[in-house]
């Protein structure tokens, strides 16, 4: 499915907008985990029980090389819902509370485009983007009008909201976005429920009760410790709590799919499962290393059973989801200007061709500027086949740590062990984690843990130059305001546009 020029809406409707083969109406269900990773049987984690994700994987194509374009909650959700990286859509950091980041007013998001084309839109769970005029949903139960714990973690409440959405459905096709708050940490906001809110709704005194949830607890000795997490008792206990929360989400996914099945629409619905960014552990969320950017991605199409249960090695991005959904509904890609005459072009690609046959896609890009408002650490990245290049624009500053992760048992234990001079059980040390080189180049085929920076190695000079060129082109194509940083200033009325600062960088 290639990019198409806009055609008249009347013609689209006359051709049968949003209908599948045989005249059935096409729908989309997008399920999003919050800080989720590869803790599921679908991704070969045998230590955790996730029967519903595993069952969905058997009806899906499973992408092994899927990546977010930004490893931060609001920016990743805005990018997913617009097809534009954070530096282009304006959601530079977290949306709510004092941070107040918003997408630009002229951005045309997926719910906006779908609504204009006659698709009914709904969101249940975590929204975390704004303004409302850019991200309008016909049916909305989010943290903006309800408790995030109730609409994002109470799987019984979420099930009933899905049922309500389906019962009030009219004859339009629908796009339903179910955004779990699991398995996000909650030690910073609701510590009484545990590090990952794993106790919320478990029936114990003061914890409330979620009728449809059967809590699963795990022995810390049994969890799989990823290479980027310290192998310590504190981190193992942290992972065990995370597993319990993932189990709640997994059971919730089963309930959501059962509601669609009961309403008779599951076999007309494209189901997508992914996460917004990496897990909240060291090198994970807020980083553009593999643990911060790599995502689970299951795409289940009722019209493509030939690829059910297959694994794709294609390199894909969450920026691809907007063009995928637009193609599923046969809606043209948007062409508009956010500022001046610079026309927005989606740089992602539709995933629908990958549902027909394996696609030889090899390159994805990343862009991060903030997380919390105090965490300015702009980074840009490109992953091309086995090579990952990260450009740290503020490389002379220490890498910032967010509040939520700071209070986590894993990081507090890492800090305490470092200060006390004790072994950390970690593959890095804090100094190397905080202070990074301007350019980081890794060959993941030989160095899957990304520990050997090859950027200064003359044997990789051609690879470095190739990736730098690819990255710069993408930045120019997406109107990146940081394209000349850190050693130049962008002056659009002059030539060359990047004017030197002579700042010794």
């Amino acid at each position: 499915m290639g990019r198409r020029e806009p055609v008249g809406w009347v013609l689209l409707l006359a051709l049968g907008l949003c209908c599948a083969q045989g005249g059935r109406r096409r729908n989309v269900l997008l399920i999003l985990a919050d800080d989720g990773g590869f803790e599921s049987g679908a991704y070969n984690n045998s230590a955790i029980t996730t029967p519903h994700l595993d069952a969905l994987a058997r009806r899906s194509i499973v992408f092994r090389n899927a990546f977010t374009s930004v490893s931060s909650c609001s920016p990743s959700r805005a990018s997913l819902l617009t097809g534009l990286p954070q530096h282009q859509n304006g959601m530079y950091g977290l949306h709510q509370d004092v941070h107040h980041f918003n997408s630009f007013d002229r951005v045309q998001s997926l719910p906006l485009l779908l609504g204009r084309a006659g698709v009914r839109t709904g969101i249940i769970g975590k929204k975390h983007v704004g303004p409302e005029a850019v991200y309008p949903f016909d049916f909305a139960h989010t943290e903006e009008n309800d408790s995030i714990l109730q609409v994002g973690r109470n799987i019984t409440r979420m099930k009933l909201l899905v049922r309500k959405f389906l019962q009030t459905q009219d004859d339009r096709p629908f796009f339903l976005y179910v955004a779990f708050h699991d398995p996000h940490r909650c030690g910073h906001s609701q510590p009484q429920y545990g590090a990952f809110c794993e106790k919320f709704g478990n029936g114990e005194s003061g914890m409330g009760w979620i009728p449809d949830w059967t809590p699963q607890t795990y022995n810390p000795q049994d969890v799989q410790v990823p290479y980027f997490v310290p192998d310590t008792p504190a981190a193992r206990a942290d992972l065990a709590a995370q597993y319990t929360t993932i189990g709640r989400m997994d059971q919730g996914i089963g309930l959501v799919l059962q509601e669609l099945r009961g309403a008779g629409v599951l076999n007309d619905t494209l189901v997508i499962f992914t996460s917004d960014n990496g897990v909240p552990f060291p090198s994970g969320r807020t980083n553009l290393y593999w643990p911060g950017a790599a995502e689970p991605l299951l795409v289940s199409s009722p019209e493509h059973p030939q690829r059910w249960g297959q694994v794709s090695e294609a390199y894909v991005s969450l920026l691809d989801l907007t063009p995928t959904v637009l193609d599923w509904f046969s809606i043209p890609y948007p062409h508009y200007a956010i500022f001046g005459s610079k026309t927005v072009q989606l740089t992602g690609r539709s995933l629908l061709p990958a549902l027909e046959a394996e696609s030889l896609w090899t390159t994805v890009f990343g862009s991060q500027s903030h997380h919390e408002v105090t965490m300015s650490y702009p980074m840009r990245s490109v992953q091309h086949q086995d090579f990952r290049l990260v450009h740290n624009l503020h490389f002379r500053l220490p890498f910032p740590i967010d509040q939520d992760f700071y209070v986590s048992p894993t990081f507090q234990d890492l800090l305490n062990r470092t200060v006390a001079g004790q072994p950390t059980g970690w593959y890095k040390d804090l100094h190397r984690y905080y202070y990074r080189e301007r350019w980081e180049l890794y060959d993941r085929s030989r160095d899957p843990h990304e520990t050997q920076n090859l950027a200064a190695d003359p044997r990789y000079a051609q690879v470095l130059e190739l990736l730098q060129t690819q990255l710069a082109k993408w930045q120019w194509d997406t109107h990146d305001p940081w394209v000349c940083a850190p050693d130049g200033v962008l002056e659009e009325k002059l030539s060359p546009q990047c004017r030197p600062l002579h700042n010794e960088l």
Side-chain angles (χ1 to χ4, degrees):
M1 303 287 284
R3 292 183 173 85
R4 300 178 298 277
E5 293 303 315
V7 297
W9 298 116
V10 175
L11 176 59
L12 279 174
L13 293 172
L15 291 173
L17 174 65
C18 313
C19 288
Q21 296 172 354
R24 295 183 308 174
R25 196 165 295 282
R26 282 178 161 183
N27 310 299
V28 172
L29 170 65
L30 174 58
I31 304 173
L32 192 68
D34 197 355
D35 294 359
F38 297 94
E39 302 80 16
S40 68
Y43 282 93
N44 301 318
N45 186 325
S46 59
I48 191 170
T49 302
T50 53
H52 301 287
L53 274 173
D54 300 351
L56 178 60
R58 290 192 290 271
R59 290 175 51 92
S60 303
I61 181 171
V62 179
F63 288 93
R64 267 182 22 104
N65 294 302
F67 299 90
T68 182
S69 69
V70 51
S71 191
S72 176
C73 296
S74 295
S76 62
R77 291 160 194 270
S79 296
L80 183 154
L81 289 173
T82 63
L84 308 178
Q86 57 84 26
H87 63 249
Q88 189 173 23
N89 73 57
M91 188 72 70
Y92 301 140
L94 300 184
H95 166 62
Q96 289 162 312
D97 299 328
V98 296
H99 307 122
H100 203 59
F101 288 104
N102 278 285
S103 288
F104 298 125
D105 291 342
R106 293 185 180 179
V107 168
Q108 296 187 16
S109 73
L110 193 55
L112 187 68
L113 294 167
L114 295 178
R116 289 176 180 172
V119 178
R120 183 173 182 242
T121 60
I123 179 172
I124 297 167
K126 186 173 180 178
K127 188 176 183 182
H128 211 23
V129 293
E132 170 66 22
V134 172
Y135 299 96
F137 286 87
D138 299 321
F139 179 97
H141 286 268
T142 72
E143 74 279 1
E144 294 181 352
N145 58 6
D146 211 328
S147 161
I148 186 59
L149 294 178
Q150 293 300 324
V151 297
R153 301 191 196 261
N154 184 339
I155 59 176
T156 297
R157 177 78 186 280
M158 296 176 75
K159 173 193 75 173
L160 295 175
L161 288 172
V162 171
R163 184 178 301 174
K164 181 179 179 181
F165 174 80
L166 295 174
Q167 287 176 343
T168 56
Q169 176 64 25
D170 50 34
D171 60 357
R172 291 175 292 172
F174 68 77
F175 170 80
L176 179 58
Y177 175 39
V178 178
F180 285 88
H181 196 26
D182 286 330
H184 194 285
R185 289 188 179 276
C186 74
H188 181 69
S189 54
Q190 295 106 2
Q192 68 273 23
Y193 294 123
F196 281 91
C197 274
E198 70 275 8
K199 300 176 184 179
F200 174 71
N202 69 1
E204 296 179 3
S205 177
M207 296 296 106
W209 179 50
I210 301 173
D212 288 294
W213 180 36
T214 302
Q216 299 157 291
T217 57
Y218 292 86
N219 187 325
Q221 295 303 313
D222 296 333
V223 301
Q224 288 187 7
V225 182
Y227 72 86
F228 52 89
V229 174
D231 193 350
T232 60
R236 283 181 169 272
D238 222 5
L239 288 166
Q242 180 208 33
Y243 279 20
T244 296
T245 308
I246 290 170
R248 179 170 56 206
M249 179 185 70
D250 180 75
Q251 292 178 39
I253 290 171
L255 294 172
V256 171
L257 294 176
Q258 182 57 41
E259 289 300 317
L260 268 67
R261 187 177 294 111
V265 296
L266 185 59
N267 289 333
D268 302 321
T269 302
L270 180 72
V271 179
I272 301 171
F273 168 78
T274 188
S275 180
D276 54 349
N277 45 248
V279 293
F281 284 91
S283 293
R285 188 187 66 192
T286 74
N287 287 273
L288 291 184
Y289 301 130
W290 187 92
E295 300 301 336
L297 178 61
L298 311 178
V299 180
S300 177
S301 166
E303 299 173 22
H304 301 85
Q306 70 274 14
R307 295 228 66 185
W308 287 0
Q310 294 187 13
V311 174
S312 173
E313 301 292 339
Y315 284 77
V316 299
S317 167
L318 298 193
L319 292 174
D320 299 334
L321 295 189
T322 284
T324 299
V325 173
L326 292 176
D327 271 357
W328 181 258
F329 286 122
S330 298
I331 297 172
Y333 297 179
H335 290 269
Y336 61 97
I338 298 175
F339 296 110
S341 59
K342 290 184 177 180
T343 302
V344 166
Q345 299 250 347
L346 299 183
T347 57
R349 60 172 71 88
S350 172
L351 299 179
L352 296 190
L355 303 182
E356 300 281 352
E358 182 69 358
S359 298
L360 301 179
W361 299 325
T362 58
T363 308
V364 292
F365 297 94
S367 169
Q368 183 138 340
S369 298
H370 291 263
H371 181 67
E372 295 164 6
V373 71
T374 55
M375 294 176 63
S376 175
Y377 200 85
M379 301 172 285
R380 302 295 183 263
S381 70
V382 55
Q383 171 98 17
H384 179 67
Q385 296 175 331
D386 291 322
F387 288 98
R388 174 183 297 276
L389 178 68
V390 179
H391 186 196
N392 298 306
L393 279 65
H394 284 184
F395 63 99
R396 289 191 173 178
L397 294 176
F399 185 78
I401 304 298
D402 67 271
Q403 296 173 326
D404 178 62
F405 173 54
Y406 179 80
V407 301
S408 69
T410 295
F411 192 68
Q412 284 296 307
D413 182 63
L414 180 58
L415 286 176
N416 293 335
R417 287 171 176 268
T418 300
V419 171
Q422 299 174 347
T424 63
W426 195 30
Y427 79 129
K428 289 186 178 181
D429 58 55
L430 280 180
H431 179 85
R432 183 179 174 191
Y433 190 66
Y434 289 145
Y435 295 98
R436 307 179 179 189
E437 299 296 325
R438 175 174 177 176
W439 295 100
E440 297 183 73
L441 175 65
Y442 301 106
D443 180 357
R444 287 188 46 82
S445 67
R446 299 183 179 184
D447 176 27
H449 296 175
E450 300 173 333
T451 59
Q452 302 298 318
N453 183 6
L454 305 173
D457 190 329
R459 294 173 298 177
Y460 292 87
Q462 287 186 322
V463 174
L464 176 65
E465 184 179 2
L466 170 66
L467 267 62
Q468 287 175 328
T469 300
Q470 285 183 314
L471 183 57
K473 182 182 184 304
W474 180 72
Q475 289 182 264
W476 284 110
D477 288 345
T478 55
H479 311 150
D480 187 355
W482 281 266
V483 68
C484 299
D487 49 3
V489 170
L490 177 62
E491 289 285 354
E492 298 188 19
K493 295 181 180 180
L494 298 174
S495 180
Q497 290 180 263
C498 288
R499 312 297 289 181
L501 285 168
H502 305 292
N503 58 6
E504 302 179 15
L505 297 181

